Each structure stands twice: as C-alpha cells, then as structure tokens.
Amino acid sequence: MLRAAAMDLWHETAPAIAERLHREVHRLNAASSSAELWSRFHALAFAAGQLDVPLRCADVQALLKARNPRLRAAGAEIVALQQRTELLDDVLPLCWQSGEASFFAAQAVSSMGESQHAAALWVRALAARKSGKERLLRNLLHTLSSMG
C-alpha cells in the first residue's frame, strides 16, 4: 500500500504517513529494532521521500541521535534529500563518524553548509591530520572541497 501510494504520488496520504512515521521513529528508538519494525519504517521513509512529506523536525533529530547506525543514516539521508537546512547543526557531527550516516551527512553539509559548518569541518580535519586518521582527513577534505 505504501509503495503504491509513493509510486502513484497519492499526496492525500502525506499527513497519515508523517503521523505514522512519527510513531514508528519513537518505537524504533525505544526498543531493539526487529526486522519487521525496520521494514515498516523503511517503507514509510521511502513513501515520505517520494511524496516529499515534511517530517517533524523532532522526528528527524531523534533519528540523527539514535544509537542504531541505520537510523542515523536514515535521518541524515532525510536531511540531505529534503534539503532541511534547519537540521544542519544536528547532522554535522555525523560527518566525522564512520558509517553510512557520514556519507549522507557530508552530502547535506556540502550542499547546504555555511561558513560555521566549514569551520567545524576544518577543525576536525586538522585534528584528524594530527592524529594520523588519513581516511577521515580525506573524507572531511572532500566535503570541504564540495562546499566550494
């Protein structure tokens, strides 16, 4: 049903999808995420992305701060895809973490970031250079170069 709504662009379903995603975000954060819960969340997130459903800022922040790396990646992807500039400060720390979330965070920061975000990335890049973290340094420099 969700896939059909997303593929056929049933925009009437947007408020219901946003509300259900709100409940699922908090359910996933509260419990150890089962495969069924993760599958349901993924379908909702896909539909929200396809229909450009404006998700609640608090829900996306909860995803960005989740312990589960898949949830953090989903939150960062939402920020990048929906161009959520108000959440850049929340997504920025994911740039210097490992995992899929750092990829989406770097996308968001490189496309929407401002001077304060570039400054934070430079500080981390210099620290990575000093401590010999070459891969992190490369990733941060790549993000900075994409910012312009």
Side-chain angles (χ1 to χ4, degrees):
M1 171 76 174
L2 282 171
R3 295 247 184 238
M7 299 312 286
D8 293 339
L9 300 177
W10 295 344
H11 291 283
E12 312 80 47
T13 60
I17 290 171
E19 185 59 37
R20 183 62 186 264
L21 195 74
H22 171 71
R23 288 195 311 266
E24 294 301 325
V25 164
H26 296 287
R27 193 183 273 166
L28 276 169
N29 253 343
S32 61
S33 39
S34 68
E36 179 186 342
L37 251 124
W38 177 251
S39 177
R40 188 177 320 130
F41 169 79
H42 192 266
L44 284 163
F46 173 79
Q50 290 293 107
L51 297 172
D52 201 27
V53 175
L55 302 177
R56 295 177 186 176
C57 191
D59 292 342
V60 181
Q61 285 173 324
L63 290 172
L64 294 171
K65 294 175 183 169
R67 288 181 297 213
N68 184 316
R70 293 193 307 182
L71 291 178
R72 287 194 304 271
E77 186 175 14
I78 289 167
V79 171
L81 291 176
Q82 292 189 347
Q83 300 286 301
R84 302 287 297 265
T85 56
E86 75 276 13
L87 294 168
L88 278 179
D89 291 337
D90 296 306
V91 80
L92 182 65
L94 296 178
C95 286
W96 46 83
Q97 294 180 3
S98 61
E100 192 178 1
S102 66
F103 171 76
F104 293 116
Q107 268 187 333
V109 172
S110 66
S111 67
M112 300 177 289
E114 297 180 3
S115 58
Q116 71 268 22
H117 303 111
L121 289 171
W122 269 115
V123 168
R124 288 294 178 152
L126 292 172
R129 182 175 181 259
K130 189 175 183 178
S131 62
K133 296 180 180 176
E134 293 299 318
R135 184 173 178 197
L136 175 60
L137 175 63
R138 257 192 325 265
N139 291 343
L140 293 173
L141 290 177
H142 178 71
T143 303
L144 282 162
S145 69
S146 298
M147 289 179 80

